[in-house]
Amino acid sequence: MRNATGTAPQALVIGGVRGIGRAVSCRLARDGFDIFATARADGEAAAATRELVTAAGRAFHLLTVDVRDASGIRRAYRPVWGDTEAPDVVVYNAGIARDNLFAFMEEADWHEVVDTDLNGFYRAVQPLIAGMIARRSGRIVAVSSVSGLTGQAGQVNYSAAKAGLIGAVKALAREVGRRKILVNAVAPGFITTEMTRDIPPDKVLPLVVQGRAGTADEVAGAVSFLCGPDSSYITGQVIAVNGGLWM
């Protein structure tokens, strides 16, 4: 795979070294992308992801950034893309959960989730839009959630942030579509990751038509499709990867 300049295409995966993010980084590497993955710190997760990406024959670059730090993001981007360029693909996967019933939710837990899951999308993606517009190409994929589609008790903050992400995707798709930039989202359901390890499966699986949890690789497959040639006429859409949890 080559981009318009004849070099290997680049994929930036925000939150790209754990869980779904790692699976996306590895899948896009197998698709032929050089990977730029962000994490708040270098460590075992980043090292493991680097090994998997390089084993697929692609370059791996770690950008240590916090999506709550706008100036830190710009400092990390500048040596790679300057102020006028951008990667071919951006996947926004940063997300946290601080679940509680709304009646008992602390204000800090509301703001922390919204600031990471939704506001981080602005900080991480907005600096790259001008470069995509100038190049007249690009793919942006946001990892939302089934909770952003249907709402979930105990997750008012998370559901609000993930629903806001879907709204941002749809509006941005309208803004940049004529510049050949495609903007979509995937909405995972109950996926086996660190984030869901404390959720009792017996409470969720009876609600899933397929009767099982999904895998990070299955979500990565949907992201791969949205970043590849077969989705060239798809924008402003949400692909639900939930096994029938919500239809």
Side-chain angles (χ1 to χ4, degrees):
M1 179 183 290
R2 290 288 184 268
N3 59 22
T5 65
T7 61
Q10 299 174 340
L12 170 63
V13 185
I14 310 297
V17 302
R18 297 178 184 275
I20 290 172
R22 176 185 291 173
V24 169
S25 293
C26 294
R27 176 57 185 267
L28 293 182
R30 294 196 299 273
D31 290 345
F33 289 88
D34 286 341
I35 302 300
F36 293 78
T38 79
R40 281 190 270 187
D42 200 348
E44 292 182 3
T49 307
R50 178 184 290 108
E51 183 176 348
L52 291 168
V53 168
T54 56
R58 305 314 316 167
F60 176 86
H61 308 274
L62 180 68
L63 305 180
T64 53
V65 300
D66 187 327
V67 297
R68 298 171 297 181
D69 179 7
S71 61
I73 290 171
R74 289 180 181 272
R75 285 195 302 271
Y77 288 176
R78 192 164 291 118
V80 186
W81 299 293
D83 296 318
T84 60
E85 297 181 4
D88 300 275
V89 162
V90 178
V91 179
Y92 188 77
N93 179 62
I96 61 170
R98 298 287 184 269
D99 296 350
N100 204 347
L101 293 175
F102 191 60
F104 306 111
M105 185 174 291
E106 298 288 340
E107 184 174 356
D109 289 339
W110 175 275
H111 287 299
E112 189 172 0
V113 169
V114 173
D115 203 29
T116 299
D117 296 22
L118 178 57
N119 295 342
F121 176 80
Y122 170 82
R123 299 187 191 102
V125 177
Q126 193 273 343
L128 302 169
I129 292 295
M132 288 187 172
I133 289 174
R135 190 181 60 217
R136 297 184 67 84
S137 70
R139 304 289 180 96
I140 299 169
V141 180
V143 179
S144 180
S145 169
V146 66
S147 296
L149 290 170
T150 186
Q152 180 61 43
Q155 288 191 323
V156 176
N157 51 356
Y158 186 76
S159 297
K162 292 298 189 178
L165 199 56
I166 289 171
V169 160
K170 289 178 176 290
L172 183 57
R174 288 187 177 275
E175 287 188 10
V176 300
R178 291 188 181 276
R179 298 302 181 99
K180 300 182 180 179
I181 302 166
L182 307 182
V183 190
N184 293 287
V186 295
F190 185 54
I191 308 297
T192 302
T193 65
E194 291 181 15
M195 186 177 287
T196 62
R197 64 186 175 188
D198 295 328
I199 299 176
D202 61 311
K203 301 294 185 183
V204 180
L205 294 185
L207 305 175
V208 180
V209 170
Q210 288 190 265
R212 65 172 179 86
T215 69
D217 286 340
E218 288 172 314
V219 180
V223 175
S224 170
F225 167 70
L226 291 172
C227 296
D230 290 337
S231 62
S232 58
Y233 199 52
I234 298 175
T235 195
Q237 304 303 308
V238 182
I239 296 182
V241 188
N242 61 33
L245 175 62
W246 179 81
M247 292 184 284

